[in-house]
Amino acid sequence: MIGFTIVLTRKRKHNIKRKKRLNFKIKKPYFSLAVFLIITIISASIFIDKKEGESETVKVTTKSINVFREIDNYSEYYIPVVMNDFTSYKKGEKISNDTIIKLGIWSILSKENKSEYETFNGKLYIPATDVRERITQLFSKNIHFENESVDDEKYSVVFEKSTDCYIVPVIGFSPEFTPELESVTVKNNRTILTVGCLRGENYKQDSSGNTVAPEAEKKILITLKNEKDGCHIEEISEE
């Protein structure tokens, strides 16, 4: 009986160990499967986020527009457009020579430190090479124009051949609208500026003497195409 009992006990222990081994073998595949599913889910979510990010529109409001301070809030694009009431354009359309020149000059005036240019008798001398460079930035190197003086009812710009400079009066111009950048929307390789046009004569002062801007009378959308050599105006339209 004793020997039989010993044999039985050994057999029972053997079954317990075997059961443990079986349990381990059963759990291990489930654990591996769980790890595989987790990795698959994470990989899929990263892939989906990436695909969505390619077509997602990121909107930046004026409350956080200071993130663009390094490029001066795109002012070199939207200020000349609004100041010259240039609110309708599609890439490839013909632009009058004087309009191109005015857009280039105002693009410089809206961004650059004017102290780098020579001033004489209340007039600013801007090299024609700088104007050409800025026009190329606005519309790409495919744009064509000729250096010439511009004379209209708003303001006059003189091109002086002897110095190869544009002579711009530093005072005496009151535009119909002033611009207010409201938002910047980025989608794929396009940047869309939403700009409010505020009529200059509607600015007022409050009781404390602070200037109060009016509501935008109209809004324009400026679409910039992000290319290898920078952003270029692709389209301008009223919202």
Side-chain angles (χ1 to χ4, degrees), residues 134-177:
R134 188 51 60 89
I135 291 171
T136 299
Q137 176 190 330
L138 294 177
F139 298 102
S140 84
K141 61 183 180 181
N142 296 324
I143 198 74
H144 176 75
F145 76 99
E146 299 292 339
N147 289 318
E148 66 175 7
S149 298
V150 176
D151 188 9
D152 62 22
E153 58 184 17
K154 291 184 179 180
Y155 64 95
S156 297
V157 174
V158 176
F159 173 64
E160 189 176 75
K161 290 184 179 181
S162 60
T163 60
D164 196 34
C165 285
Y166 281 96
I167 304 174
V168 183
V170 295
I171 58 173
F173 174 65
S174 298
E176 183 178 5
F177 294 104

Side-chain angles (χ1 to χ4, degrees), residues 44-55:
S45 64
I46 293 172
F47 178 77
I48 291 170
D49 287 342
K50 184 178 179 182
K51 294 296 287 183
E52 289 178 350
E54 290 175 356
S55 60

Side-chain angles (χ1 to χ4, degrees), residues 5 31 49 82 84-85 119 213:
T5 303
F31 175 77
D49 287 342
V82 174
N84 290 281
D85 200 24
T119 305

Side-chain angles (χ1 to χ4, degrees), residues 52-61 65 67-68 71 74 183-194 222-226 231:
E52 289 178 350
E54 290 175 356
S55 60
E56 183 180 1
T57 296
V58 180
K59 195 168 186 179
V60 184
T61 62
I65 208 69
V67 298
F68 295 106
I71 49 176
Y74 297 102
S183 67
V184 178
T185 305
V186 180
K187 186 174 182 179
N188 296 330
N189 66 333
R190 302 288 193 284
T191 300
I192 302 174
L193 313 179
T194 301
I222 304 174
T223 302
L224 307 177
K225 186 175 181 181
N226 306 323
C231 295

Side-chain angles (χ1 to χ4, degrees), residues 4-99:
F4 178 79
T5 303
I6 291 171
V7 172
L8 183 62
T9 302
R10 286 179 178 176
K11 187 175 183 181
R12 186 180 178 185
K13 288 181 179 179
H14 177 73
N15 287 341
I16 292 171
K17 290 179 180 179
R18 185 170 181 273
K19 186 177 181 181
K20 287 182 178 180
R21 287 199 299 268
L22 287 173
N23 286 342
F24 176 75
K25 288 181 180 179
I26 291 171
K27 289 179 181 178
K28 189 174 181 180
Y30 279 110
F31 175 77
S32 300
L33 179 61
V35 172
F36 175 79
L37 288 174
I38 291 171
I39 294 173
T40 303
I41 291 170
I42 293 173
S43 300
S45 64
I46 293 172
F47 178 77
I48 291 170
D49 287 342
K50 184 178 179 182
K51 294 296 287 183
E52 289 178 350
E54 290 175 356
S55 60
E56 183 180 1
T57 296
V58 180
K59 195 168 186 179
V60 184
T61 62
T62 50
K63 292 181 180 179
S64 58
I65 208 69
N66 58 351
V67 298
F68 295 106
R69 290 297 179 192
E70 291 183 1
I71 49 176
D72 200 14
N73 293 351
Y74 297 102
S75 60
E76 67 268 42
Y77 293 97
Y78 68 83
I79 288 181
V81 165
V82 174
M83 299 289 270
N84 290 281
D85 200 24
F86 185 67
T87 58
S88 180
Y89 170 74
K90 283 188 178 182
K91 188 174 182 179
E93 291 182 352
K94 184 175 176 56
I95 310 173
S96 65
N97 203 71
D98 59 342
T99 299

